[in-house]
Amino acid sequence: MKSQKSHSLRTIPLLAAALALSATAAHAREKKAPPVKPANQYAAFDQHPNEKLTIAAEPCTDPKDCDFFRLPYIEHGFIPIRIVFTNDGDTALTLDDVRIQLITSDNTVVPAATDDDLNRRLFTTGGVRGTPVPLPAPLPPIHIHRQQVDKKITQDDDDFGFSGTVVNAHSTLAGYLFYDVRGLDAPPLKDASIYVKEIWTMDRKKELFSYTIPLNKWLATQPH
């Protein structure tokens, strides 16, 4: 009887921890990004009336403003920026070849981070030994590290990234991209812009002009 009671008491903290983790996961799943608005309703956007396309950029530099993410990207040097495409034309557009870059005040070009980029920054691999590749003696084997992208990164991409690469006629498509600002002069978004190029019509007959979205317009709306 005494042994059973002791075992039960030891189980309580483990059960509580499991329930806490389950509640945290459920809470993360319930969190939603703000509803998407037409691009011209954001502070920072570029509109080409002749092409009937507007593109907006909405950064998040305060973790409290984008606490729906499962991981602390901002604290690790990445700024999430929501890119919004609103197509008011009658022709669908494809983003298959699109490039969406952060251009800093000194013209440094920062591409959008990949899932692998995020994973390398947020998770260390020092403890992973990897797969040994034998070499002729007496050299030691080389270990190839095959680290999978953390599930929370892929879940955030599924929930908050782009759901596709087609901007249908008279519709809006949006998603979050992440930009590595570690090592850039502070504040990194001052006098910076989002540069978007290589947008095509679905029939590939026409490439749209490039778009430049000045982020100072967004900064002007932020509390100082």
Side-chain angles (χ1 to χ4, degrees):
M1 184 70 178
K2 182 178 179 181
S3 175
Q4 289 179 343
K5 182 178 181 181
S6 176
H7 176 74
S8 298
L9 290 175
R10 288 197 302 268
T11 304
I12 289 174
L14 296 175
L15 179 60
L19 290 173
L21 288 173
S22 177
T24 300
H27 180 65
R29 287 195 300 270
E30 292 172 359
K31 287 183 176 293
K32 303 290 185 183
V36 177
K37 301 178 292 186
N40 62 5
Q41 294 184 20
Y42 291 88
F45 66 87
D46 187 12
Q47 188 172 41
H48 293 187
N50 290 339
E51 296 177 326
K52 301 185 185 302
L53 178 67
T54 306
I55 306 176
E58 182 80 352
C60 180
T61 56
D62 187 336
K64 296 191 297 294
D65 293 335
C66 44
D67 61 355
F68 45 84
F69 289 123
R70 295 171 175 84
L71 293 170
Y73 303 103
I74 296 174
E75 293 88 334
H76 285 80
F78 291 99
I79 291 183
I81 301 182
R82 193 180 219 178
I83 308 297
V84 183
F85 295 83
T86 295
N87 179 7
D88 291 315
D90 298 325
T91 302
L93 304 172
T94 176
L95 306 180
D96 283 345
D97 300 321
V98 74
R99 298 292 180 268
I100 307 175
Q101 302 164 329
L102 172 67
I103 311 296
T104 68
S105 60
D106 64 355
N107 290 322
T108 297
V109 179
V110 182
T114 65
D115 286 353
D116 285 332
D117 294 332
L118 298 172
N119 201 71
R120 279 192 294 270
R121 176 71 57 80
L122 272 69
F123 299 96
T124 60
T125 60
V128 180
R129 185 164 176 79
T131 303
V133 178
L135 295 174
L139 296 175
I142 294 176
H143 289 85
I144 299 176
H145 297 275
R146 296 188 177 94
Q147 185 187 17
Q148 292 185 341
V149 173
D150 186 83
K151 185 178 180 180
K152 291 181 180 178
I153 292 177
T154 57
Q155 287 175 329
D156 277 346
D157 187 35
D158 290 341
D159 290 345
F160 310 118
F162 284 94
S163 59
T165 59
V166 176
V167 189
N168 288 312
H170 304 286
S171 70
T172 294
L173 180 70
Y176 280 91
L177 299 176
F178 297 86
Y179 293 89
D180 185 359
V181 298
R182 181 175 286 184
L184 298 180
D185 292 338
L189 299 186
K190 181 176 173 57
D191 298 326
S193 61
I194 290 293
Y195 181 66
V196 186
K197 61 180 180 178
E198 297 189 44
I199 304 170
W200 289 81
T201 56
M202 283 296 294
D203 58 13
R204 311 293 294 189
K205 291 182 178 179
K206 179 184 177 183
E207 180 182 2
L208 276 62
F209 289 107
S210 300
Y211 285 67
T212 300
I213 306 159
L215 296 180
N216 280 345
K217 291 182 178 180
W218 176 81
L219 286 171
T221 67
Q222 302 306 297
H224 297 288

